[in-house]
Amino acid sequence: MADPRFFHKVGPFTAGRIAEAIEATVEPADQADRIFSDTGTLEAAGAHVLSFFENVKYKDALAKTKAGGVVVRPDHADRVPAGAMRFLTPLPYRSFALAVQMFYPDATVEPAVDDSAWIAEDAIIGTGVRIEAGAVIEEQAEIADGCWIQSNAVVGRGCRVGAGTRIGRGVVVTYALIGERCRIYAGTTIGTRGFGFAMDRRGHIDLPQLGRVVIGDDVEIGANCSIDRGMSGDTEVGNGTRIDNLVHIGHNVRIGKGCVLCAQVGIAGSAVLEDFVVLGGQVGIGPHSRVGTGVQMAAKSGSWRDVEAGAKLCGVPAVPIREFHRRNVILERLSRDRNARDDQS
Amino acid sequence: MADPRFFHKVGPFTAGRIAEAIEATVEPADQADRIFSDTGTLEAAGAHVLSFFENVKYKDALAKTKAGGVVVRPDHADRVPAGAMRFLTPLPYRSFALAVQMFYPDATVEPAVDDSAWIAEDAIIGTGVRIEAGAVIEEQAEIADGCWIQSNAVVGRGCRVGAGTRIGRGVVVTYALIGERCRIYAGTTIGTRGFGFAMDRRGHIDLPQLGRVVIGDDVEIGANCSIDRGMSGDTEVGNGTRIDNLVHIGHNVRIGKGCVLCAQVGIAGSAVLEDFVVLGGQVGIGPHSRVGTGVQMAAKSGSWRDVEAGAKLCGVPAVPIREFHRRNVILERLSRDRNARDDQS
Amino acid sequence: MADPRFFHKVGPFTAGRIAEAIEATVEPADQADRIFSDTGTLEAAGAHVLSFFENVKYKDALAKTKAGGVVVRPDHADRVPAGAMRFLTPLPYRSFALAVQMFYPDATVEPAVDDSAWIAEDAIIGTGVRIEAGAVIEEQAEIADGCWIQSNAVVGRGCRVGAGTRIGRGVVVTYALIGERCRIYAGTTIGTRGFGFAMDRRGHIDLPQLGRVVIGDDVEIGANCSIDRGMSGDTEVGNGTRIDNLVHIGHNVRIGKGCVLCAQVGIAGSAVLEDFVVLGGQVGIGPHSRVGTGVQMAAKSGSWRDVEAGAKLCGVPAVPIREFHRRNVILERLSRDRNARDDQS
């Protein structure tokens, strides 16, 4: 159970109501009024707790669980111990996530503007907005309804923040238009001057960076990330994309819809990620390269060429994942052979 | 054209005046009074817009451009469509950068000290300084003329910030002397205790870090970087060096003049970069190693040995770039051969 | 000598008193009342300065040093020039660190709560606490005795900060319990929502992150790091662990005692580091993997499997360090042979 210092639980709910909310079918149907008061892992769950099972690696935990109900795929229904209810769905992890959301809904924003916040006279502040201590809203910035600007965040001159978006503690937003329902976490900086200049040993010459950062709706950006504004034209992040911590996005990068960028990824200037691209931790994408829809790259890969849609790559330079493993096996054998020869000589 | 919410354009200017400012020769000379009102890409430029051409990859865009003028190398002058003026220079990108600067000059600093800034009584503040909301200037700090300390930045006890330098929003500067006309972008931290201690399983023992960070003139440091102070002696960044976002610089690192460090580079303690070193994104340099003048390393390379001046390296460990490609080709062939054998068996 | 703008030196001390404090034996014993007024490098040290020698690479500097005393291992005692005192200890670097601490003790915290700090009415603040300008202490947070909360830091609702801990400038702490005598440096963010959701092209579905971050005693965390809170259960950092700058630690990671994580390391969700693990810069550890006690990984390595205690690894994927070098040698030879063949043909 979550620490009540930090998390507020609601409920309980009946099995029937949960099943409806999480898009599952509950069995036995005649017990749909059984009561659930929390969600939890298979190991920790008790009689009124809902858990889930998807990966067969955990089949022993499932066999022993004392959970009152388990979210499972229909073809795993038989594995659920007798006595536990079954919540059947083709996507147990997704349905379980919806169940946890039921019990632990997002905190609602209590509208308030703290006296210590600095707000320019010509800034436009919507209704239901919360602006916390030490936050700064510069001239002509627009903060739409229901936004939550947390302590010590800065929204720069002329920026627009869409309805329901949260700007985390210490975040800096400049030269940016941000969509609705986004969450930008602590310490992230958006709109920094792109790294653009003419190299010159007498002194590098700035190329003024005259673009913006345009972020879609429902985007999540982790902590301590940096997203540079465009040089000419915009740096873009598409609807529903999720970005983890310490990620760098260079100027004029365009990221599509629903992408997933793990921690410490770096995207060099003018690269394009089409929709639903998934990049593992510490991946690097070279400048001006295009990564096709649905591409997946393993952690630590580096790619500086165009990658066709659907490819699954690994390594530096990134190659298909099977090719990566094959090359490793080859090196391993060469090394073993050499060792054997060394031993004989 | 740049969004006027964020960018202020000046001008227009005559071709002659532009040519002079960007160190180019304009042709036809008798049209030197033609008017230009903006800069832009070859694709987007119109009759009063100046564009540029350098990379032959874009020759089709040049052929079709409607730009009123194009900055080009003399040997490309013939490629510029009839009707467009030619601004001839051996360094088109550099000259174009200067042209963009003409139309979009840096914002001037409006001197002001916000009431909500916290400034120690014995801090020394020059003339023409702007200090924004929530900024903190600690005891005995010195802020020279024309500095711009942005919202929620902190300049620690005893630090010195040179004339005309900008300290970005949320930046933290401690134990540091910073030169003139530098720009330190949002979220960067300078002067943190170096990672120095005697390892001991009974409890690691701190080695007090008694050095400083000394930054030259005209240095640009991106967002969310961290630069540690020296252990004994200083961590140094030379004049005109440019550092991108999320870069780590360890204690006692010495970086020369005019270097270029791309995003997410990490330089371990006591490494030395001589002048004009260029490091691609995510490069790592090992402790106590020396990287010679003009060395270039491709993105994601890792080097822990001394590197001689002028070398162009790639890989982990870093090897000459041709050698890196040769090894990749060898692995590729070994893999193909093995595949072929597997198919036959 | 350290810049007095920034560092405050105490002393002088007699050789005898120093020897006792640093767990060394001083020779000649009859000169134990000789006076030392500072510490320094072999090259810079003068007659009243204490230096140290451990690595034979610096034997020439030792031979020429003018230091009044040198901390050395007993088997190196003969190398110390006549006239200089010898401070004998099996761990010279550790003893020298203790000596530097004598001359440059940590600044003591002057208790004070700045008027511009924002402190919730129901926050609990211990005695001897310093809270600086612009800091925010949210509802129900507990700040124990002797803590130092620096400018513009934020301690979120319900968090607990143990006695004697320092929270650096601009740091953000949420959903966390932090032990005693920790130091969290500038710009670091703790307690961010973990990167957990069910991927779905119709819109990724949040899995609420209901855990905390629990940090032990005597932990040091560098600048601009991010540590996510657990999904269910906690993200943990054990006693005495040291973390450098720009490090990412994902949700539900568990890090043991006395570990050392160099800059830009990334630890993916649910990974476990047992005690005394040492990771070089830019290392990546994959999700759900376990790294055994005392494992050491070279900079830039990547590992996504379990690693047994005591292993020393390098590369991506990480292999034993000798194997890494062997494979490099093999590639080097293949490349040389191929070159030779190309030359002949």
Side-chain angles (χ1 to χ4, degrees):
Chain A
M1 170 170 161
D3 185 341
R5 279 177 93 93
F6 300 113
F7 303 99
H8 181 61
K9 194 176 61 170
V10 299
F13 302 106
T14 64
R17 179 155 168 215
I18 293 170
E20 195 185 335
I22 73 174
E23 302 169 21
T25 309
V26 66
E27 294 178 350
D30 60 358
Q31 296 178 22
D33 54 355
R34 267 173 66 178
I35 284 293
F36 286 85
S37 61
D38 204 351
T39 53
T41 59
L42 288 169
E43 291 85 351
H48 296 285
V49 174
L50 181 68
S51 191
F52 88 107
F53 171 83
E54 183 153 11
N55 187 336
V56 289
K57 192 171 136 187
Y58 298 106
K59 64 181 195 300
D60 294 344
L62 177 60
K64 288 188 230 157
T65 191
K66 301 214 162 82
V70 183
V71 184
V72 287
R73 293 211 314 257
D75 57 316
H76 288 152
D78 292 348
R79 296 177 183 266
V80 178
M85 299 189 75
R86 298 171 296 277
F87 292 74
L88 306 177
T89 159
L91 297 168
Y93 188 62
R94 181 177 185 279
S95 287
F96 183 70
L98 292 170
V100 183
Q101 289 183 18
M102 277 185 86
F103 286 99
Y104 297 92
D106 260 12
T108 52
V109 180
E110 294 175 48
V113 175
D114 192 85
D115 286 345
S116 69
W118 189 101
I119 300 174
E121 284 184 17
D122 59 356
I124 298 173
I125 312 292
T127 61
V129 167
R130 179 176 179 85
I131 301 181
E132 297 187 335
V136 173
I137 313 292
E138 296 186 4
E139 292 77 4
Q140 296 160 48
E142 296 177 39
I143 311 293
D145 296 351
C147 282
W148 184 358
I149 313 296
Q150 298 187 309
S151 332
N152 292 343
V154 180
V155 178
R157 179 187 292 261
C159 290
R160 219 156 62 200
V161 180
T165 283
R166 298 184 193 181
I167 305 291
R169 297 166 182 86
V171 166
V172 173
V173 177
T174 54
Y175 303 95
L177 310 180
I178 297 180
E180 304 191 348
R181 295 174 306 279
C182 293
R183 291 169 298 180
I184 319 285
Y185 292 118
T188 281
T189 59
I190 293 176
T192 301
R193 204 192 109 76
F195 202 55
F197 47 90
M199 274 203 232
D200 188 328
R201 291 197 172 191
R202 294 165 290 174
H204 306 305
I205 304 289
D206 273 352
L207 190 68
Q209 302 287 302
L210 302 171
R212 308 169 301 181
V213 177
V214 178
I215 291 177
D217 296 329
D218 302 298
V219 171
E220 183 182 65
I221 299 174
N224 297 80
C225 293
S226 64
I227 303 183
D228 284 353
R229 70 178 184 265
M231 180 193 87
S232 138
D234 299 323
T235 302
E236 298 173 11
V237 180
N239 293 346
T241 282
R242 302 227 168 194
I243 297 176
D244 201 352
N245 302 330
L246 289 160
V247 167
H248 164 74
I249 296 177
H251 52 174
N252 290 98
V253 166
R254 282 183 290 136
I255 297 179
K257 283 182 300 184
C259 292
V260 174
L261 277 59
C262 291
Q264 297 175 318
V265 159
I267 314 285
S270 299
V272 176
L273 272 56
E274 298 181 352
D275 299 338
F276 309 119
V277 170
V278 178
L279 302 180
Q282 303 182 333
V283 162
I285 302 293
H288 296 274
S289 61
R290 171 175 285 269
V291 179
T293 295
V295 166
Q296 299 185 10
M297 287 200 204
K300 279 195 164 293
S301 299
S303 170
W304 48 84
R305 300 214 185 120
D306 291 358
V307 180
E308 61 182 11
K312 299 188 180 190
L313 305 183
C314 186
V316 183
V319 293
I321 226 158
R322 268 176 310 185
E323 173 69 9
F324 178 81
H325 287 305
R326 193 154 50 210
R327 290 184 187 185
N328 269 310
V329 168
I330 288 170
L331 273 174
E332 200 179 339
R333 287 189 190 174
L334 288 170
S335 172
R336 211 188 304 140
D337 293 350
R338 181 159 170 248
N339 250 2
R341 278 201 310 277
D342 289 353
D343 288 349
Q344 290 173 345
S345 64
Chain B
M1 159 159 176
D3 184 341
R5 279 176 93 94
F6 299 113
F7 304 98
H8 180 62
K9 194 176 62 170
V10 299
F13 303 107
T14 63
R17 181 157 166 214
I18 294 171
E20 195 184 336
I22 72 174
E23 301 169 21
T25 309
V26 66
E27 292 179 352
D30 60 357
Q31 297 178 21
D33 54 354
R34 267 173 65 177
I35 284 293
F36 287 84
S37 60
D38 203 351
T39 53
T41 59
L42 288 169
E43 292 84 350
H48 296 286
V49 174
L50 181 67
S51 190
F52 88 108
F53 172 82
E54 183 152 12
N55 187 336
V56 288
K57 192 170 136 188
Y58 300 105
K59 63 182 197 300
D60 291 347
L62 177 61
K64 289 186 230 159
T65 191
K66 302 213 161 84
V70 182
V71 185
V72 285
R73 290 211 316 256
D75 57 315
H76 288 152
D78 291 349
R79 297 176 182 268
V80 177
M85 299 189 77
R86 297 172 295 278
F87 292 75
L88 304 177
T89 160
L91 297 167
Y93 188 61
R94 180 178 185 278
S95 287
F96 183 69
L98 291 170
V100 183
Q101 288 183 21
M102 279 185 84
F103 285 99
Y104 297 92
D106 259 12
T108 51
V109 179
E110 294 175 49
V113 175
D114 192 84
D115 286 344
S116 69
W118 187 102
I119 300 174
E121 285 185 17
D122 59 356
I124 299 172
I125 311 292
T127 61
V129 167
R130 180 176 178 83
I131 301 179
E132 297 187 334
V136 173
I137 314 291
E138 295 187 3
E139 292 77 3
Q140 296 159 48
E142 297 177 38
I143 309 295
D145 296 351
C147 283
W148 184 359
I149 314 296
Q150 297 186 309
S151 332
N152 291 343
V154 180
V155 178
R157 177 188 293 261
C159 289
R160 221 157 59 200
V161 181
T165 283
R166 299 183 191 182
I167 306 290
R169 297 165 182 86
V171 165
V172 173
V173 176
T174 55
Y175 304 94
L177 310 181
I178 296 180
E180 304 191 347
R181 296 173 304 279
C182 293
R183 291 169 298 180
I184 320 285
Y185 292 118
T188 281
T189 61
I190 293 177
T192 301
R193 205 193 108 77
F195 202 55
F197 48 88
M199 274 203 229
D200 188 329
R201 291 198 172 191
R202 293 166 292 174
H204 306 305
I205 304 290
D206 273 351
L207 190 68
Q209 303 287 302
L210 303 172
R212 307 169 303 183
V213 177
V214 177
I215 292 176
D217 296 329
D218 302 298
V219 171
E220 183 182 67
I221 300 174
N224 296 80
C225 293
S226 65
I227 303 183
D228 285 353
R229 68 179 186 263
M231 181 194 83
S232 137
D234 298 323
T235 302
E236 298 172 12
V237 180
N239 293 346
T241 281
R242 303 230 167 191
I243 298 175
D244 201 351
N245 302 331
L246 289 161
V247 168
H248 163 75
I249 296 177
H251 53 174
N252 289 99
V253 165
R254 282 183 291 137
I255 297 179
K257 283 182 301 186
C259 292
V260 174
L261 278 60
C262 291
Q264 297 176 317
V265 159
I267 314 284
S270 299
V272 175
L273 271 57
E274 297 182 353
D275 299 339
F276 309 119
V277 171
V278 178
L279 302 180
Q282 302 182 332
V283 162
I285 302 294
H288 296 274
S289 62
R290 173 175 285 268
V291 179
T293 295
V295 166
Q296 298 186 9
M297 285 199 206
K300 278 196 165 292
S301 299
S303 170
W304 48 84
R305 299 213 186 123
D306 291 358
V307 180
E308 63 182 11
K312 299 189 178 187
L313 305 183
C314 186
V316 184
V319 294
I321 227 157
R322 265 175 313 182
E323 173 70 8
F324 177 81
H325 287 306
R326 194 154 49 211
R327 292 184 187 184
N328 268 312
V329 168
I330 288 170
L331 273 173
E332 200 179 339
R333 287 188 191 175
L334 288 170
S335 170
R336 211 187 305 137
D337 293 350
R338 181 159 170 248
N339 249 3
R341 276 201 311 278
D342 289 354
D343 288 351
Q344 290 172 345
S345 63
Chain C
M1 169 170 163
D3 185 341
R5 278 177 93 95
F6 299 115
F7 303 99
H8 180 61
K9 194 176 61 169
V10 299
F13 303 107
T14 64
R17 180 158 168 214
I18 293 170
E20 195 185 335
I22 72 175
E23 301 170 21
T25 308
V26 66
E27 292 178 353
D30 59 357
Q31 296 177 22
D33 55 354
R34 268 172 66 179
I35 284 293
F36 286 84
S37 62
D38 203 350
T39 52
T41 59
L42 288 168
E43 292 82 353
H48 296 286
V49 174
L50 181 67
S51 191
F52 88 107
F53 172 80
E54 183 153 11
N55 187 336
V56 290
K57 192 171 136 187
Y58 299 106
K59 64 182 197 298
D60 293 346
L62 177 60
K64 288 186 231 159
T65 190
K66 302 214 160 84
V70 181
V71 185
V72 286
R73 290 211 315 255
D75 58 314
H76 288 152
D78 292 349
R79 297 178 182 267
V80 178
M85 299 189 76
R86 300 171 295 277
F87 292 75
L88 305 177
T89 160
L91 298 166
Y93 188 61
R94 182 178 184 277
S95 287
F96 182 71
L98 291 170
V100 183
Q101 289 182 19
M102 277 184 85
F103 286 99
Y104 297 92
D106 259 13
T108 51
V109 179
E110 294 176 47
V113 175
D114 193 84
D115 286 346
S116 69
W118 189 100
I119 300 175
E121 284 185 18
D122 59 357
I124 299 174
I125 311 292
T127 62
V129 167
R130 181 176 179 84
I131 300 179
E132 298 186 335
V136 174
I137 314 292
E138 297 186 2
E139 292 78 4
Q140 297 161 46
E142 297 177 37
I143 310 293
D145 297 351
C147 282
W148 185 358
I149 312 296
Q150 299 186 308
S151 332
N152 291 343
V154 180
V155 178
R157 177 188 293 262
C159 289
R160 220 156 62 200
V161 180
T165 283
R166 298 184 193 181
I167 305 291
R169 297 166 182 86
V171 166
V172 173
V173 177
T174 54
Y175 303 94
L177 311 181
I178 297 180
E180 304 190 348
R181 298 174 303 282
C182 292
R183 292 169 297 180
I184 318 286
Y185 292 118
T188 281
T189 60
I190 293 177
T192 301
R193 205 193 108 78
F195 201 56
F197 47 88
M199 274 203 231
D200 187 329
R201 293 197 172 191
R202 292 166 293 174
H204 306 305
I205 304 290
D206 274 351
L207 190 68
Q209 302 287 303
L210 303 172
R212 308 170 302 183
V213 176
V214 177
I215 291 178
D217 298 328
D218 302 298
V219 170
E220 184 181 67
I221 300 173
N224 297 80
C225 293
S226 65
I227 304 183
D228 284 353
R229 68 178 187 265
M231 179 194 86
S232 136
D234 299 323
T235 302
E236 298 173 12
V237 180
N239 293 345
T241 281
R242 302 227 168 194
I243 297 175
D244 201 351
N245 302 331
L246 289 163
V247 168
H248 163 75
I249 296 178
H251 54 173
N252 289 99
V253 165
R254 282 183 290 136
I255 297 179
K257 285 183 299 187
C259 292
V260 173
L261 277 60
C262 292
Q264 296 175 318
V265 160
I267 316 284
S270 299
V272 176
L273 272 55
E274 297 182 351
D275 300 338
F276 309 120
V277 170
V278 178
L279 303 181
Q282 302 181 334
V283 163
I285 303 293
H288 296 276
S289 61
R290 172 174 286 267
V291 179
T293 295
V295 165
Q296 299 185 10
M297 285 198 205
K300 279 195 164 293
S301 299
S303 170
W304 48 84
R305 299 211 186 125
D306 291 358
V307 180
E308 63 181 10
K312 299 188 180 189
L313 305 182
C314 186
V316 184
V319 294
I321 226 158
R322 266 177 310 184
E323 173 69 9
F324 178 81
H325 287 307
R326 194 154 48 211
R327 290 184 187 183
N328 268 311
V329 168
I330 287 170
L331 273 173
E332 201 181 337
R333 287 189 191 175
L334 288 170
S335 171
R336 210 188 307 138
D337 293 351
R338 182 160 168 247
N339 249 1
R341 277 201 310 278
D342 289 354
D343 286 351
Q344 290 173 345
S345 64

